[in-house]
Amino acid sequence: MKMTILVAEDEQEIRDVIHIYLRNEGYLVREAEDGTQALKMVQQEKIDLIILDIMMPHLDGIQACLKIREISNVPIIMLSAKGEDLDKIMGLSTGADDYVTKPFNPLELIARVKAQIRRQHFTSSKPAINDSEIAVDDLVINRDQHSVVVRGHEKSLTPIEFSILELLAMHRGQVFNVDKIYQSVWKEHTAFYSENTVMVHIRNIREKIEVNPREPQYIKTVWGVGYKIEK
């Protein structure tokens, strides 16, 4: 069955270019001119991935992403003419999985789409695991249920955030640099990724699971090297 990708972008020319490249890769493409239309489509149809522009009328990409995340964990790639770090952080903090800055190379966007689809397929096709729970002090990760409980309270993590936390928890004591995290979680080489993407997701995880994100108990920074969860 072909994957269905929703392109939410208010500029017709950009939608047309993205549509052509996606169609040539064999994807089915749905289009929305603003965030309100995009949200309605997600509620009414099966969408496998969303390319979501930030600057749109009626309901912008940030607000649309927040509302979509209330009902779906569908992979979301943010698209925006803004390239500043703050805008990337805002986009990823709302629950987006990746970020592409305009103007962009369509082949880069297609590579990001394939990486998200591959990651989604890998996650959903994992075999059943007998040892489904990983405990790190008072942090409990249930791999079968994709749930995280910290100090008795369940935390809502996006699929990307969960995969990063799972990776580090499964290899306690091992230091992962941002390249290795990206390759392991996104299932893609690092040709098109931004180092900030991984760092922002780490920051988001810490905001959700740490008592004091500036002095993390779980995900430690090994300066100049990467991140780890200690044994």
Side-chain angles (χ1 to χ4, degrees):
M1 185 178 296
K2 290 185 177 181
M3 294 282 189
T4 300
I5 297 178
L6 172 59
V7 180
E9 162 66 61
D10 62 324
E11 295 187 39
Q12 181 69 54
E13 292 183 1
I14 295 178
R15 287 206 311 275
D16 289 345
V17 170
I18 297 174
H19 192 138
I20 290 170
Y21 275 85
L22 290 173
R23 186 183 61 200
N24 288 343
E25 292 292 332
Y27 298 114
L28 297 175
V29 183
R30 301 284 284 122
E31 295 185 16
E33 296 180 357
D34 56 53
T36 302
Q37 288 184 8
L39 179 61
K40 186 175 296 185
M41 289 182 183
V42 173
Q43 293 169 332
Q44 297 176 348
E45 306 177 30
K46 182 183 183 301
I47 303 295
D48 296 295
L49 183 141
I50 303 172
I51 298 173
L52 188 63
D53 185 36
I54 287 184
M55 301 300 292
M56 294 187 294
H58 307 305
L59 187 69
D60 66 29
I62 297 294
Q63 293 302 315
C65 186
L66 287 169
K67 290 182 178 294
I68 290 169
R69 277 290 170 255
E70 293 176 1
I71 60 173
S72 175
N73 279 328
V74 60
I76 296 175
I77 298 175
M78 283 291 199
L79 198 62
S80 177
K82 297 182 176 180
E84 292 81 3
D85 288 344
L86 182 60
D87 296 299
K88 294 180 181 180
I89 290 171
M90 182 177 295
L92 295 171
S93 296
T94 58
D97 299 284
D98 208 348
Y99 191 106
V100 176
T101 303
K102 298 177 185 176
F104 58 87
N105 182 337
L107 294 178
E108 175 186 349
L109 179 59
I110 295 301
R112 301 288 187 93
V113 168
K114 289 181 176 180
Q116 290 298 327
I117 294 293
R118 196 157 40 242
R119 182 191 61 78
Q120 184 184 40
H121 175 74
F122 177 83
T123 300
S124 62
S125 62
K126 281 183 180 179
I129 303 168
N130 292 329
D131 187 14
S132 62
E133 286 194 347
I134 306 172
V136 182
D137 297 331
D138 49 6
L139 165 69
V140 179
I141 303 166
N142 189 302
R143 302 173 69 191
D144 290 341
Q145 299 176 8
H146 267 238
S147 65
V148 176
V149 176
V150 187
R151 296 173 292 278
H153 299 282
E154 187 166 356
K155 302 296 180 178
S156 178
L157 271 64
T158 68
I160 285 286
E161 292 166 359
F162 184 91
S163 295
I164 293 173
L165 183 61
E166 178 188 29
L167 173 70
L168 296 177
M170 287 178 60
H171 301 88
R172 294 177 64 177
Q174 181 176 340
V175 180
F176 286 81
N177 62 28
V178 291
D179 286 355
K180 185 62 176 178
I181 291 173
Y182 188 87
Q183 292 169 354
S184 299
V185 172
W186 275 262
K187 309 302 173 187
E188 181 61 49
H189 60 78
T190 58
F192 294 122
Y193 93 114
S194 166
E195 184 174 321
N196 271 341
T197 299
V198 173
M199 295 172 64
V200 170
H201 283 300
I202 293 287
R203 194 205 68 171
N204 291 344
I205 298 169
R206 284 172 169 167
E207 290 287 344
K208 294 178 179 180
I209 70 172
E210 302 285 359
V211 174
N212 182 359
R214 295 186 177 183
E215 297 181 5
Q217 172 186 351
Y218 304 110
I219 300 179
K220 304 287 189 178
T221 299
V222 181
W223 296 106
V225 184
Y227 303 95
K228 70 173 182 178
I229 291 179
E230 293 181 343
K231 289 186 177 181

